[in-house]
Amino acid sequence: MNDSDMADASQVDRLLISTVKEKFDPRTLLLNGHHFEVGSKAIWSVSSCKQNLGVRHLRDGSLDTYWQSDGPQPHWVDIQFMQKTAVSYLCFYVDFKADESYTPSRISVRAGTHYHDLSEVASHQLREPAGWVLINLQPDEGRPLHTFLLQLAVLANHQNGRDTHIRQVVVLSPRVEDGEWLQGTLR
């Protein structure tokens, strides 16, 4: 990403209000100092995968690789934290032009303390997305969601596709230097 791709502070503030913002690079939120990536603190799993197209491709930093599910829908990515974690945004990269029927068209984001109490916190229809999709998980006046388990579920694909491709997933937590939140967990 070069300097012309970076948003200034006023552009970032406008993006924070967006629920879904396609063609967005989550590194913009990291560079403004208000957020940091907490996905590395989680245990990741997927509902299914084709051989050699597993969960590791969601976190390898390359937009050329992808996780590919294998089997009937829904498909999901589980992100499980060891301690209750503040989450502001869930960002994922999809590319309709490259993946066509493998591209998600309807997604649900669920949160809870474990698999048996997950509840939906966001759902969206995607129309031929090409780029980063930003899901705002700050339900109460900019306060982050606090959860042990976050699940990104793919409920449907474009062109009635069966399996899905997701190229990257990033989980962002708020950074508050003089507040009650530090490193995504309660001080």
Side-chain angles (χ1 to χ4, degrees), residues 3-159:
D3 291 337
S4 64
D5 294 331
M6 299 305 303
D8 64 25
S10 63
Q11 289 172 318
V12 170
D13 289 342
R14 283 194 300 271
L15 292 173
L16 296 180
I17 298 167
S18 301
T19 301
V20 174
K21 180 67 179 173
E22 298 174 27
K23 298 183 181 174
F24 173 78
D25 191 330
R27 290 176 291 187
T28 302
L29 291 173
L30 294 172
L31 293 174
N32 76 8
H34 296 278
H35 296 85
F36 65 101
E37 212 283 329
V38 291
S40 61
K41 297 179 182 202
I43 298 169
W44 292 70
S45 59
V46 293
S47 54
S48 65
C49 66
K50 293 280 188 187
Q51 188 172 6
N52 297 321
L53 297 173
V55 69
R56 68 185 166 95
H57 293 298
L58 292 173
R59 304 286 299 161
D60 66 4
S62 173
L63 299 178
D64 296 325
T65 61
Y66 50 84
W67 159 60
Q68 181 175 326
S69 62
D70 186 19
Q73 293 170 343
H75 307 296
W76 62 85
V77 177
D78 289 330
I79 307 161
Q80 189 168 14
F81 299 99
M82 296 302 216
Q83 54 191 343
K84 200 170 202 179
T85 302
V87 179
S88 298
Y89 298 97
L90 177 65
C91 312
F92 60 97
Y93 191 94
V94 289
D95 188 350
F96 178 77
K97 291 176 185 170
D99 299 328
E100 296 180 345
S101 68
Y102 290 91
T103 307
S105 63
R106 190 164 49 111
I107 60 104
S108 172
V109 178
R110 302 162 183 162
T113 57
H114 52 78
Y115 293 100
H116 302 290
D117 75 348
L118 288 174
S119 60
E120 186 171 86
V121 294
S123 65
H124 296 285
Q125 295 281 0
L126 304 173
R127 289 183 177 79
E128 299 184 3
W132 286 100
V133 177
L134 174 72
I135 307 294
N136 185 344
L137 297 177
Q138 301 175 100
D140 299 320
E141 300 175 12
R143 292 183 153 185
L145 173 72
H146 301 100
T147 189
F148 282 97
L149 178 61
L150 197 59
Q151 183 180 78
L152 171 61
V154 177
L155 306 177
N157 285 338
H158 284 78
Q159 303 169 351

